[in-house]
Short mmCIF file of all heavy atoms in Angstrom, two decimals:
data_model
loop_
_atom_site.label_atom_id
_atom_site.label_comp_id
_atom_site.label_asym_id
_atom_site.label_seq_id
_atom_site.Cartn_x
_atom_site.Cartn_y
_atom_site.Cartn_z
N GLY A 1530 86.03 138.36 95.33
CA GLY A 1530 85.89 139.45 94.38
C GLY A 1530 86.04 140.84 94.97
O GLY A 1530 85.88 141.83 94.25
N VAL A 1570 97.03 141.08 91.29
CA VAL A 1570 96.50 141.12 92.64
C VAL A 1570 95.78 139.81 92.93
O VAL A 1570 94.82 139.45 92.25
CB VAL A 1570 95.52 142.30 92.82
CG1 VAL A 1570 94.96 142.31 94.24
CG2 VAL A 1570 96.21 143.62 92.51
N LEU A 1622 103.16 152.97 93.53
CA LEU A 1622 104.13 152.30 92.67
C LEU A 1622 104.74 153.30 91.69
O LEU A 1622 104.03 154.17 91.18
CB LEU A 1622 103.45 151.16 91.90
CG LEU A 1622 102.95 149.98 92.73
CD1 LEU A 1622 102.16 149.01 91.85
CD2 LEU A 1622 104.12 149.24 93.38
N PRO A 1629 101.17 156.02 75.71
CA PRO A 1629 101.18 155.11 74.56
C PRO A 1629 101.67 153.71 74.91
O PRO A 1629 101.19 152.72 74.34
CB PRO A 1629 102.14 155.80 73.59
CG PRO A 1629 102.04 157.25 73.93
CD PRO A 1629 101.88 157.29 75.41
N THR A 1634 100.49 147.98 75.74
CA THR A 1634 100.47 146.82 76.62
C THR A 1634 99.07 146.22 76.71
O THR A 1634 98.89 145.00 76.62
CB THR A 1634 100.97 147.20 78.02
OG1 THR A 1634 102.30 147.73 77.94
CG2 THR A 1634 100.96 146.00 78.95
N PRO A 1651 88.10 120.97 71.95
CA PRO A 1651 86.98 120.03 71.90
C PRO A 1651 86.05 120.20 73.07
O PRO A 1651 86.48 120.57 74.16
CB PRO A 1651 87.69 118.67 71.94
CG PRO A 1651 88.97 118.94 72.66
CD PRO A 1651 89.38 120.32 72.24
#
Side-chain angles (χ1 to χ4, degrees):
V1570 179
L1622 293 173
T1634 301

